[in-house]
Amino acid sequence: MDPNRAGPVVLDTLSKACSQQADVLKPAEQQLHHWETQPGFYSILATIFCKHEIDVNVRWLAALYCKNGVERYWRKTAPNAMSEEEKSAIRKQLLSNFNEPVPQVALQVAVLVAKVARVDCPRNWPELIPTMLEAVRCDDQLIQERALLVLHHVTKTLASRRLPSDKKVFESLTHEVFGFILNLWNSNLAHFLQLASVHDEGMSTALDRCSLVLKILRKQIGYGFRDLETHPDSVSFLRSLFPHLEAMLDCRRSLWGHHAIVDKCEHVIVTQTKVLLDILEMHASSFVSFLKTTLEFVVRYNFTEKGLLFERFAVNCFNVMKAILFSDTYKLSKNTQIESSSAVSTEAQKILTEFFTFDTLSEICRRLVTQYFLLTTDDLTTWDADPEDFCQDEGGDSYKYSLRPCTEVLFLTIFKAFRLSLTPVLLELVRFIQAPCDPEDFATVLKKDAVYNAIGLAAFDLFDEIDFDQWYTTSLLQELQVKDVNYRIVRKRVIWLVGQWVGVKMSVSLRPSLYEAIISLLDKQEDLAVRLEAAACLKTTIDDFEFKTDQLLPYVEPLFHLLFELLKEVRECDTKMHVLHVFSFVIERMGREIRPYTAALVEYLPLLWQESSHHNMLRCSILTTLIHLVQSFGSACTNFYDFLIPVIELSTDITQDPHVYLMEDGLDLWLITLHYSPTVTENLLKLFTNIPPVLDLGTENLRVCLKLIEAYLLLCPQEFMQLYSSILAVSLSSMITNLQTDGQLLVLRVIELVFKVFPTEGPQVFSCFLPAMWKNLVDDEDSTPVISLYLCLFARILLQHRDFLWSFLEKTASDTSKSFNQLLSLLLDTWLDKIDSVTQPDRRKVIAMAVASLLTTNSSTMLERFPTIINLCVEVLHDVCRPGDLQSQIDMVFFSSLVITDDEIVEVESREELEHDKRKRMLARKDPVHTVSLKDYVMSQLKQCQQAHGQAVFGRLMDQVDPDILSQLQQFSV
C-alpha cells in the first residue's frame, strides 16, 4: 500500500467501521479484514493513531487493528509476515508517541509496544529502552505517565522471557531504572497520603500513579535481581513495604465512604501483598531477615481484634504465611550440601520457632476455626437462593483467590507443622460443642459447623486422638436426626465429616448404619444441599478399600431411587455430573447385582443426553455411566442398543464438533459394548466407518481403535471382513510405516489375529503388505520385537496356507535375481537364526511347527538344514513341556497347557466371563497352537520324512544331528 494514496482510504474505512449502522459497519469491517495481509497496511494504521487530531474512536480502532496485526504477522516466520521496512516505520512511530492525550488509546499503544518489544528488544530495537527511560525521567507529567504505562507493559513482557540472554536484558533494565522508579513510588505515595489526609479531589489521580509505579516495581524486584541483598535499593523497598502497607490500611479506614477511592486503595494494598508472595517464591533466601516482620504483620492484621479488613487482603496474607511455612528453603534438610542454604534454613527455623509460641499458635488456630471457618451471611444467602451453587467444590488454585479454601489450606499447613501443639486446642474446641445444641442458638450452630470442618480437614492427623466410632454412634448419628431447619447446617457438615473419616478410622461394621443415615438425608423433604452432601458421602464410602458389596445390597433399591430423584431435580450441569459420578461408582462396585434397580435411570439417560447437547462435560459423565451400565448388564446390554449406538456414533464422529470432548469416553464405551455383546447388529457393524477417520487424526487413539478392530474380528468375522477387509488392509498397511515400535507391534497383532481367524483368506487380504514385511525381515540384521512378529506371521502362512507362501516366494523371485529355493533358504535361515528373539511360547511353537512342516518336502533346502531344524524343534519342545516332567507329554506354558483339553473347556465354561473372552477361547480351540501337540506333530513329520526319503537317507540325516539333541528327542518320543 502506498501511504500517500491508501492512507485517506484506510482512514475513511476506519471511520465507517466505527459507525453504529450495520449497513455501513459490516462492509468496512470486511474491507479491513481484506487489508490485513496487504504490505504497508499496519504502518498506515500507526500513522493514523499517532495523529492526535483524528477522532479518538478511529485512533483507538487503528491501534487495536495494529496490535492484532503485530500479534499475527510481526515474526519473520509468520505467514504474510511484515517487511522489515514496514516494521521499522512502525517502531519509529511508536517511539514518537509518548504524549498520547487519551488514556484508552495510550493503553492500546503501550500493549502494542510491549508486543513488539517481546520479539525485537534489544537486538532489533536498541532505541526502545533508552528512549523509554528518557521519557520516564521527563518533567512533563503527561509524557512521564505515558512512559510509565509503556514501561509497565514492557516490563511485564520482558520479565516473562526465560532465556539467559533475555534475563540479562531485563536485569540490565532493572538496574538502570529501579532506583528512579523507587523514588517515584515513595514520592507519589507520600503525595497521595497527604491528599488523602484532607480528602483532596486529586486523590484518585495520585493513587493511579502509585498503582502503576508499584506494578513496575513488583516485576522488577521479582525478576530483575539475582540477589536482593546486594542491591541497597531493593532492600530499601522491602524495608519500607510494611510501613507503607500500614499507612495504606490506615488511609483506607479514614476514607470510608469514598467507595471509588477505597477500591483503588485496596488494589494498591493487594499489589503490595503480591510483592511479598513473589519474593517468597523467587527470593526466599534474601527474605529471611524480613520473616519476623512479615509474620507479625500478618498476625496483627488478621488474628487480632482488627479482624477481617477485606477479603482479598486476608487471602494474600494467609498465602504469605502458608508460603513461609511451606517453603523448602526454610526447612532443615538432613542432606543439605550447600553451606549458605543450610545457614538460611537454620536462621529461618530459629525465627519460626521463636515466633510460633504456643500462645500464638493457639490464637491463630482458634481464630481460623471460630472466625474464618464460620459461614457468613452471604454464604447462607447463597445456600437459600441457589443450593447447587453453594455446594460447588472449590478446588485447584482457588486457595489463591478465595477466602474459604485459602483459610482451610492455611489451617492444614499450620496444623501439620505444629500438630503436637495444636491437637489439644482443637480437641478442646470439640469438647465444647460436641453435644447436640439448641437449633435456635444460631451462633452455636455455626460454631459447631466450623469446628467439625476443622476435625474433618485434619482427620489423618487426628487418627490416634479421636475414637471416631464412639463419637459417631453416641453423638453424630443423633445430630443427623435433628430435623430443624436451622440444623441443616449441622446435618450437612456431619455427613461431610463422616465422609472425611470413613476411609481413615471408621469400623466396617458401622457401614449399614451409615447407609441408613444417607437414605434419610437423601429424602426429598430434606434440604437440597444436605442431599447433595449425602450423595457425596455415599460415593466416598463405596470408593473405600474396605467396601463390602453385601453390606450395601439391602439398601441399593432405596438409594438408587433417591439418587435418581436427586438427579432429576438438580438443574446445574456440574451438579448433575456429580450425582452421575455417584451412580457410576454404585453401579461399578455392585456389578450385576445392580440390574434390577436401573430401569428408571436407563429410561432417563436418553432425555438427559438430549438436554445436555450444549454441555459436553455432562455428556462425558453420561458416557462414563453407560460404560458401567454395560459392564453390569453384560450380554443384556443389547436391550438399550437404540440409545447406545447413536451415542457412540456421535461421540466418535470427527465431523461432529462434540467429538473433541467425547471421543475418548465414546471409544471406551464402544469397546466395552463390543466386548459384552453376544451378537452383532447392522447398526453396530456400520459404526466401524468412524474408525478410519479417527486413525487418520494421529496415534492418540491408536490402541483403543485397534482393540475395536480385534473385537469386531472376534464378534462377527465374516460380516466384518466382507464389508471392511479392503479398508482394513489399506489403513493398517499405510499406517504401520509411520509408527514407532510399540505402534507397529499393535498393528501386527491385529494382522496376526486376522491370520488366526482366516487362515486361508487372511494372507490374501494383506498381500499388499507382505512385500514390505518380507524386505524388513530379510534385510534387518537385528532381532527386534517387530521382526519376531514378522517371523510368526510368515510361520502361520506356511503352516496354514503353504500354497499362498509358495506363490508369494515365486513372485518375489521373479521380481529379484534370486531363485525360489534361495528365497526359501533365506526364510528358513531367518527362522533358525532369530528364533531366540521370539519370547512368547505360543509364537515359538508356531515357528517350530512351521519349520517342522518342511521336513516332509523334497527340498535340498530342508536336507541341508536338517540338523538345525531338529535342534530348533527340540529347543521349543523344552519350552512348551512341563519342566522336569517330560513323560507328561502335555504342552505347557508356565504350567498352563497350550493344548486345550476337554476338562479345561468344561472348567472355563463353568465360570462367568465376557462374551469377548468366550470368543477368544473359541478361536483358540481352532488354532493349531492349542489343538496340536508339538511333540506328536514333530514325531509325525519325522516319520513322514523317513517314508519320503527312505531309511538310508533318513539315517544319514539323523547321523548329522548332535547326539545330545538326539537323546533329548528320543525322550520326547517315549
Side-chain angles (χ1 to χ4, degrees):
M1 280 184 167
D2 181 359
N4 295 325
R5 297 177 59 185
V9 178
V10 174
L11 178 60
D12 180 63
T13 306
L14 285 169
S15 300
K16 292 178 179 178
C18 295
S19 172
Q20 300 297 317
Q21 299 177 16
D23 57 340
V24 177
L25 171 66
K26 289 186 177 179
E29 288 181 338
Q30 292 173 356
Q31 182 61 59
L32 290 170
H33 178 69
H34 172 71
W35 283 335
E36 284 181 1
T37 56
Q38 295 294 314
F41 175 60
Y42 295 102
S43 57
I44 292 174
L45 291 176
T47 301
I48 291 173
F49 68 67
C50 286
K51 290 184 177 179
H52 301 163
E53 64 273 13
I54 297 176
D55 179 74
V56 62
N57 292 322
V58 173
R59 294 196 301 115
W60 180 87
L61 190 60
L64 180 65
Y65 267 93
C66 192
K67 181 188 72 174
N68 294 338
V70 166
E71 184 77 30
R72 296 189 188 113
Y73 308 114
W74 192 268
R75 294 185 182 275
K76 295 179 180 180
T77 56
N80 303 304
M82 295 184 203
S83 66
E84 290 300 321
E85 293 77 10
E86 183 171 13
K87 290 195 285 188
S88 177
I90 293 173
R91 288 192 290 258
K92 288 179 181 178
Q93 293 279 9
L94 293 175
L95 290 180
S96 65
N97 196 31
F98 284 106
N99 59 341
E100 171 58 54
V102 181
Q104 293 89 339
V105 178
L107 176 61
Q108 292 293 337
V109 173
V111 175
L112 171 57
V113 172
K115 288 185 178 297
V116 175
R118 182 174 186 83
V119 180
D120 285 1
C121 187
R123 181 177 300 174
N124 296 321
W125 202 7
E127 307 88 359
L128 171 63
I129 292 177
T131 305
M132 184 172 55
L133 297 184
E134 182 182 352
V136 166
R137 294 185 173 95
C138 180
D139 293 333
D140 188 303
Q141 186 168 345
L142 176 62
I143 293 177
Q144 187 184 72
E145 286 185 1
R146 296 299 180 252
L148 285 172
L149 183 62
V150 172
L151 177 61
H152 163 54
H153 286 282
V154 170
T155 298
K156 278 178 61 177
T157 297
L158 297 184
S160 66
R161 302 198 303 190
R162 291 293 175 264
L163 292 176
S165 58
D166 295 330
K167 288 184 178 180
K168 274 191 173 183
V169 170
F170 188 69
E171 288 171 8
S172 175
L173 169 63
T174 300
H175 293 169
E176 186 170 350
V177 76
F178 188 82
F180 179 78
I181 301 298
L182 179 58
N183 289 333
L184 277 181
W185 159 248
N186 290 329
S187 60
N188 279 287
L189 182 61
H191 179 57
F192 163 71
L193 292 174
Q194 182 182 3
L195 295 175
S197 65
V198 293
H199 292 203
D200 190 276
E201 292 182 356
M203 288 186 297
S204 180
T205 302
L207 199 51
D208 287 340
R209 286 174 62 86
C210 287
S211 177
L212 183 58
V213 173
L214 181 59
K215 289 176 181 177
I216 297 171
L217 289 175
R218 179 193 168 196
K219 288 297 181 182
Q220 291 191 346
I221 199 169
Y223 296 94
F225 298 104
R226 296 189 181 183
D227 187 356
L228 297 182
E229 294 174 315
T230 60
H231 297 274
D233 286 337
S234 64
V235 175
S236 172
F237 175 59
L238 289 178
R239 283 177 179 163
S240 65
L241 196 58
F242 295 100
H244 287 165
L245 263 169
E246 292 181 353
M248 289 296 293
L249 287 167
D250 291 339
C251 179
R252 173 182 171 274
R253 289 193 192 92
S254 68
L255 292 171
W256 201 252
H258 298 266
H259 300 298
I261 302 298
V262 169
D263 287 344
K264 291 184 177 182
C265 210
E266 290 181 354
H267 181 73
V268 172
I269 292 169
V270 167
T271 305
Q272 288 175 288
T273 57
K274 287 180 179 179
V275 173
L276 293 175
L277 287 167
D278 289 348
I279 300 302
L280 281 167
E281 180 182 352
M282 291 174 279
H283 298 285
S285 298
S286 302
F287 198 70
V288 173
S289 57
F290 298 98
L291 285 182
K292 183 178 180 182
T293 306
T294 304
L295 291 170
E296 288 174 344
F297 175 83
V298 171
V299 170
R300 182 165 62 254
Y301 282 95
N302 295 277
F303 298 108
T304 62
E305 294 304 322
K306 291 187 177 183
L308 177 60
L309 297 180
F310 62 97
E311 182 171 320
R312 199 69 188 87
F313 171 72
V315 167
N316 282 359
C317 284
F318 289 175
N319 282 326
V320 165
M321 181 175 282
K322 180 190 79 70
I324 291 172
L325 292 171
F326 208 70
S327 174
D328 290 333
T329 306
Y330 301 147
K331 292 178 181 177
L332 293 176
S333 174
K334 297 178 181 178
N335 299 320
T336 301
Q337 297 178 351
I338 305 175
E339 185 176 347
S340 61
S341 176
S342 178
V344 168
S345 301
T346 302
E347 183 180 356
Q349 283 300 310
K350 180 181 177 183
I351 294 170
L352 295 178
T353 303
E354 291 176 353
F355 179 82
F356 285 109
T357 62
F358 176 77
D359 290 341
T360 301
L361 286 170
S362 177
E363 184 66 16
I364 291 174
C365 181
R366 289 179 186 277
R367 287 194 177 273
L368 280 174
V369 176
T370 61
Q371 180 177 341
Y372 291 100
F373 277 16
L374 293 179
L375 291 174
T376 64
T377 303
D378 289 342
D379 292 331
L380 296 173
T381 301
T382 303
W383 187 337
D384 289 331
D386 190 352
E388 293 183 48
D389 181 48
F390 177 77
C391 291
Q392 290 298 324
D393 183 27
E394 295 183 281
D397 289 341
S398 60
Y399 72 91
K400 295 180 180 179
Y401 317 105
S402 183
L403 183 59
R404 184 166 299 282
C406 172
T407 306
E408 293 176 351
V409 169
L410 177 62
F411 169 78
L412 277 175
T413 303
I414 293 178
F415 196 85
K416 288 181 181 298
F418 305 100
R419 183 174 60 84
L420 294 178
S421 298
L422 291 179
T423 296
V425 178
L426 201 53
L427 293 179
E428 183 183 0
L429 289 173
V430 175
R431 280 194 293 272
F432 277 120
I433 52 84
Q434 191 167 5
C437 64
D438 182 1
E440 299 301 322
D441 186 356
F442 204 62
T444 303
V445 168
L446 292 178
K447 186 174 181 181
K448 182 187 283 285
D449 171 77
V451 174
Y452 284 3
N453 186 17
I455 297 297
L457 292 172
F460 284 99
D461 296 293
L462 295 172
F463 181 89
D464 295 323
E465 311 297 333
I466 292 179
D467 184 349
F468 190 79
D469 285 357
Q470 182 181 5
W471 189 19
Y472 171 76
T473 54
T474 60
S475 179
L476 296 180
L477 273 179
Q478 297 176 27
E479 300 203 81
L480 291 176
Q481 296 165 8
V482 179
K483 295 301 182 181
D484 187 277
V485 64
N486 285 344
Y487 224 73
R488 62 180 178 160
I489 297 172
V490 177
R491 293 196 300 276
K492 180 179 182 300
R493 180 59 67 187
V494 167
I495 199 63
W496 171 87
L497 175 65
V498 174
Q500 296 296 109
W501 276 84
V502 71
V504 177
K505 190 180 181 182
M506 183 176 179
S507 298
V508 178
S509 59
L510 295 177
R511 299 294 171 88
S513 67
L514 176 57
Y515 297 141
E516 292 174 0
I518 291 173
I519 289 172
S520 173
L521 296 178
L522 284 173
D523 188 85
K524 290 193 69 172
Q525 303 304 316
E526 181 60 86
D527 180 88
L528 181 58
V530 178
R531 293 164 67 192
L532 290 171
E533 198 63 68
C537 179
L538 176 63
K539 173 179 172 291
T540 305
T541 304
I542 64 178
D543 194 29
D544 183 58
F545 178 75
E546 293 185 312
F547 169 77
K548 293 183 178 179
T549 304
D550 57 342
Q551 287 185 320
L552 181 62
L553 191 57
Y555 308 100
V556 167
E557 184 172 5
L559 282 171
F560 230 73
H561 171 73
L562 293 169
L563 284 173
F564 179 63
E565 293 299 321
L566 179 61
L567 178 63
K568 290 196 298 182
E569 184 174 339
V570 294
R571 292 289 175 261
E572 296 294 331
C573 282
D574 284 346
T575 316
K576 286 186 179 290
M577 284 171 56
H578 289 310
V579 179
L580 272 176
H581 282 313
V582 180
F583 268 116
S584 294
F585 271 95
V586 176
I587 295 168
E588 181 183 16
R589 298 308 295 268
M590 295 303 294
R592 299 191 175 191
E593 302 287 349
I594 206 70
R595 292 184 188 179
Y597 315 109
T598 56
L601 178 63
V602 171
E603 290 180 7
Y604 176 66
L605 286 179
L607 175 62
L608 183 59
W609 180 265
Q610 294 298 326
E611 292 175 349
S612 61
S613 57
H614 300 294
H615 302 282
N616 290 306
M617 298 313 295
L618 176 54
R619 285 193 160 185
C620 287
S621 297
I622 296 173
L623 289 171
T624 302
T625 305
L626 286 172
I627 289 172
H628 295 306
L629 277 171
V630 170
Q631 289 174 323
S632 297
F633 272 76
S635 59
C637 66
T638 54
N639 295 335
F640 40 100
Y641 266 7
D642 290 343
F643 174 49
L644 269 182
I645 294 176
V647 164
I648 295 171
E649 183 176 14
L650 174 69
S651 303
T652 58
D653 184 354
I654 67 169
T655 64
Q656 302 289 331
D657 292 338
H659 87 271
V660 176
Y661 306 95
L662 308 179
M663 177 68 74
E664 184 176 351
D665 293 316
L667 289 172
D668 289 340
L669 176 60
W670 189 355
L671 181 62
I672 208 71
T673 301
L674 289 177
H675 281 181
Y676 281 94
S677 295
T679 57
V680 72
T681 65
E682 182 180 355
N683 290 333
L684 189 58
L685 189 57
K686 283 182 179 178
L687 275 180
F688 182 77
T689 55
N690 282 4
I691 291 292
V694 174
L695 290 173
D696 290 340
L697 287 178
T699 59
E700 182 179 355
N701 298 299
L702 174 65
R703 186 179 299 274
V704 67
C705 285
L706 293 177
K707 286 184 176 296
L708 283 166
I709 294 171
E710 292 178 352
Y712 273 115
L713 283 168
L714 292 171
L715 174 62
C716 51
Q718 298 293 338
E719 299 92 332
F720 177 72
M721 292 299 285
Q722 185 175 357
L723 288 174
Y724 304 116
S725 60
S726 57
I727 298 175
L728 185 65
V730 172
S731 294
L732 297 186
S733 300
S734 60
M735 180 195 313
I736 196 169
T737 56
N738 301 319
L739 296 174
Q740 299 293 330
T741 299
D742 289 345
Q744 292 182 32
L745 290 173
L746 293 174
V747 173
L748 289 173
R749 286 169 190 150
V750 174
I751 297 175
E752 182 183 35
L753 179 60
V754 174
F755 285 10
K756 289 180 181 180
V757 178
F758 298 97
T760 303
E761 299 89 346
Q764 295 172 345
V765 169
F766 287 95
S767 58
C768 61
F769 177 56
L770 290 181
M773 191 167 71
W774 170 267
K775 186 176 185 303
N776 291 332
L777 180 64
V778 298
D779 290 351
D780 198 329
E781 296 181 358
D782 296 328
S783 297
T784 65
V786 173
I787 295 300
S788 300
L789 256 175
Y790 287 163
L791 293 172
C792 299
L793 291 174
F794 274 109
R796 280 196 174 273
I797 297 174
L798 174 59
L799 190 62
Q800 300 175 159
H801 195 3
R802 180 183 294 185
D803 291 343
F804 179 82
L805 182 61
W806 286 173
S807 63
F808 170 75
L809 292 178
E810 288 172 354
K811 184 177 185 307
T812 305
S814 67
D815 295 337
T816 63
S817 58
K818 296 182 180 180
S819 66
F820 173 87
N821 282 336
Q822 287 177 314
L823 294 181
L824 180 59
S825 299
L826 185 58
L827 178 58
L828 184 53
D829 288 340
T830 306
W831 275 322
L832 297 172
D833 292 341
K834 297 183 178 180
I835 182 66
D836 289 337
S837 68
V838 182
T839 56
Q840 295 89 341
D842 56 335
R843 289 180 178 148
R844 290 174 66 85
K845 181 177 177 180
V846 167
I847 294 174
M849 293 177 70
V851 171
S853 71
L854 294 174
L855 290 173
T856 59
T857 61
N858 187 14
S859 166
S860 59
T861 298
M862 184 279 295
L863 297 174
E864 292 168 1
R865 293 160 179 78
F866 183 85
T868 318
I869 292 174
I870 299 301
N871 188 28
L872 182 148
C873 292
V874 171
E875 180 182 340
V876 177
L877 277 169
H878 282 292
D879 293 334
V880 299
C881 285
R882 187 192 303 272
D885 187 11
L886 297 179
Q887 283 71 32
S888 67
Q889 311 300 335
I890 302 175
D891 292 348
M892 301 291 293
V893 182
F894 306 119
F895 300 99
S896 176
S897 177
L898 282 178
V899 175
I900 301 175
T901 64
D902 292 338
D903 290 341
E904 289 173 319
I905 293 172
V906 172
E907 179 185 350
V908 172
E909 290 180 343
S910 65
R911 302 195 301 263
E912 288 189 3
E913 58 179 339
L914 295 178
E915 295 292 332
H916 181 70
D917 292 334
K918 291 180 183 178
R919 292 189 280 268
K920 285 199 294 186
R921 181 166 48 79
M922 294 302 294
L923 176 62
R925 294 174 62 180
K926 302 175 183 178
D927 191 341
V929 173
H930 302 292
T931 57
V932 177
S933 166
L934 179 59
K935 182 269 302 182
D936 294 339
Y937 185 77
V938 171
M939 296 307 167
S940 172
Q941 291 297 104
L942 284 173
K943 186 174 181 180
Q944 292 182 49
C945 178
Q946 181 182 13
Q947 294 173 352
H949 295 90
Q951 182 59 42
V953 174
F954 183 73
R956 286 196 300 272
L957 291 173
M958 294 297 285
D959 289 341
Q960 297 174 27
V961 179
D962 185 280
D964 186 42
I965 298 297
L966 278 179
S967 174
Q968 296 176 40
L969 181 62
Q970 289 171 358
Q971 293 182 54
F972 284 106
S973 65
V974 176

